[in-house]
Amino acid sequence: MITDLMDKFTHIFGQGLSNGFYPVPQQAIGVGSAFEGWSPRAEGLVYRVLVPLSPPPGHAFHLELDTAGMPQRNFCVRVELLCTCTREQLGENMLCFLHHPEEELRRNQDPSLLHTLCTGSYLDVEKTVHQFHRFVRVAWLHLPQSRHWQLMLQPSSRSCKFLLTKGKEGIMVEMLFGVRQGDTDIFVSSQPTDVHFTPSTTWLETYAVAEAKFFRHIARQAPCDSCHCKCLQLLSRMLMGVGFSTYTLKTVVMHLLSTVPPSRWCGRDFAQRLMDILKYLHRCLETKQLNHFVIGNEKFPTEISLPADIRVVEPPNLFQYLARDPDAHSRAMHEYAGLLHQ
């Protein structure tokens, strides 16, 4: 249902934006636990999708790495105007932003992206999200789902969140927006951050699409009764209220999925694989070292496209904070003991 809804949204967005110079949305990609098959619980479930954005005609996007003040790689998306004089000569109804007088452009053509959703020369996350909030509100009225469901937009500056309700049933959807790095499965996205202040021109590197593709890659190889998602589902439920994040758990399981053969994840192996996950987590806690699964992983499936530098760089340590803070490490070991007891 969510996939169908997003396809319809994207189609209407494309029609409504065709006369202006706004980022062009592409087919949405489902990411996160709901689409990977291991969501810990039905209540509070968020269906998260990433909507890739392409530059409008006469524009180009350039990703510029900005490493200042953030715990992960983040980028700015610089917008460049391109010459379109050739298109005009071919009879296309578009004036060149670079070579036509400003007065003629103002009189005969919508403003460029630089004058609508940018701050300076950079695509602004909050302006982009605000614009798509407006598009969702208008597009919803043209969708067949609007006859049976009610849509309530939720406040969010870096994503477009909305709740669909029908009677007692409710579905939360979060649309993130992103720009693809070349032709790879790595994006920079509008995802919210834990940092108190994130500049509105900052787009965070996300590996969510590559990770979702990894789960599909495993599903094609695993037995039909594979228990890897059930392990994740059970342990992530137990983690609620504990200091470990579900992403930590997911990273541990992805590492094991790349080392333990698919044939050993059958339903009968559930208890053993559960213990393997807990032992792996314990070893990482003791050494205060849990490597990122995508970055610096030369064994990552080659069918999933990554920028060349990501495979060979030193992988970030997700437990670096434990090495810096002895109190945090003591709490983590105590919480692990509680998890093991459960």
Side-chain angles (χ1 to χ4, degrees):
M1 174 185 169
I2 300 301
T3 303
D4 178 60
L5 174 64
M6 295 312 304
D7 286 344
K8 287 182 168 62
F9 264 136
T10 303
H11 177 69
I12 292 176
F13 288 166
Q15 289 181 325
L17 299 173
S18 59
N19 295 325
F21 296 95
Y22 292 105
V24 182
Q26 306 300 316
Q27 185 174 32
I29 306 169
V31 295
S33 61
F35 287 95
E36 291 166 351
W38 59 273
S39 184
R41 58 182 182 181
E43 65 275 13
L45 176 61
V46 178
Y47 289 90
R48 193 164 284 114
V49 296
L50 178 70
V51 180
L53 300 177
S54 297
H59 298 70
F61 289 159
H62 301 283
L63 301 185
E64 296 182 357
L65 182 63
D66 176 15
T67 57
M70 296 289 284
Q72 67 182 95
R73 297 209 318 175
N74 50 284
F75 291 76
C76 293
V77 180
R78 181 169 59 84
V79 178
E80 178 191 14
L81 294 178
L82 304 177
C83 176
T84 56
C85 292
T86 304
R87 298 180 64 159
E88 186 180 359
Q89 292 166 5
L90 293 174
E92 294 189 30
N93 186 26
M94 179 181 173
L95 304 179
C96 178
F97 284 114
L98 292 177
H99 299 117
H100 275 79
E102 286 190 21
E103 181 59 37
E104 185 180 359
L105 287 168
R106 271 197 302 270
R107 193 169 56 248
N108 298 309
Q109 189 161 274
D110 287 342
S112 75
L113 182 57
L114 285 171
H115 292 95
T116 53
L117 303 185
C118 289
T119 295
S121 299
Y122 296 97
L123 188 62
D124 190 294
V125 171
E126 295 181 11
K127 291 179 182 178
T128 302
V129 167
H130 178 72
Q131 187 71 8
F132 275 97
H133 261 278
R134 293 176 53 203
F135 291 153
V136 166
R137 194 186 303 275
V138 174
W140 176 250
L141 302 176
H142 300 279
L143 296 181
Q145 286 89 338
S146 65
R147 293 196 292 269
H148 309 288
W149 294 81
Q150 287 191 324
L151 178 140
M152 291 182 285
L153 286 164
Q154 309 293 301
S156 177
S157 61
R158 293 186 64 91
S159 65
C160 185
K161 294 179 73 171
F162 53 88
L163 177 65
L164 299 175
T165 57
K166 182 175 67 173
K168 294 182 179 180
E169 190 175 358
I171 300 174
M172 181 68 76
V173 180
E174 182 174 27
M175 295 169 62
L176 304 172
F177 303 95
V179 177
R180 189 186 296 270
Q181 293 192 35
D183 58 355
T184 73
D185 292 311
I186 304 299
F187 289 76
V188 300
S189 85
S190 66
Q191 67 190 61
T193 74
D194 296 328
V195 177
H196 180 64
F197 173 74
T198 304
S200 62
T201 53
T202 294
W203 298 73
L204 275 66
E205 189 168 65
T206 178
Y207 320 98
V209 173
E211 290 168 353
K213 285 194 170 186
F214 174 76
F215 274 88
R216 291 201 291 274
H217 168 81
I218 292 297
R220 288 194 293 272
Q221 299 181 344
C224 60
D225 66 338
S226 178
C227 64
H228 65 283
C229 284
K230 290 180 181 178
C231 288
L232 260 172
Q233 194 170 53
L234 175 64
L235 289 173
S236 59
R237 283 177 183 166
M238 294 167 65
L239 283 177
M240 291 175 184
V242 180
F244 301 115
S245 69
T246 54
Y247 190 74
T248 293
L249 179 65
K250 174 181 167 181
T251 301
V252 167
V253 172
M254 289 191 294
H255 277 297
L256 282 172
L257 284 168
S258 67
T259 55
V260 178
S263 60
R264 292 172 57 189
W265 289 88
C266 293
R268 64 177 180 271
D269 301 313
F270 176 72
Q272 184 58 54
R273 296 291 80 81
L274 210 58
M275 290 309 300
D276 287 346
I277 294 167
L278 291 169
K279 288 177 182 176
Y280 192 104
L281 176 60
H282 185 244
R283 187 163 64 248
C284 291
L285 287 169
E286 284 190 317
T287 59
K288 306 169 189 173
Q289 180 80 30
L290 174 60
N291 288 340
H292 196 282
F293 181 67
V294 178
I295 304 174
N297 184 357
E298 295 182 0
K299 297 180 180 179
F300 196 78
T302 54
E303 69 184 59
I304 303 171
S305 180
L306 303 180
D309 64 322
I310 279 189
R311 289 186 186 272
V312 297
V313 298
E314 187 73 19
N317 177 13
L318 301 186
F319 280 173
Q320 183 64 44
Y321 72 100
L322 298 180
R324 291 194 304 261
D325 187 345
D327 291 339
H329 183 248
S330 297
R331 285 195 300 272
M333 294 299 291
H334 178 73
E335 288 168 343
Y336 173 82
L339 181 63
L340 190 63
H341 178 70
Q342 288 188 64

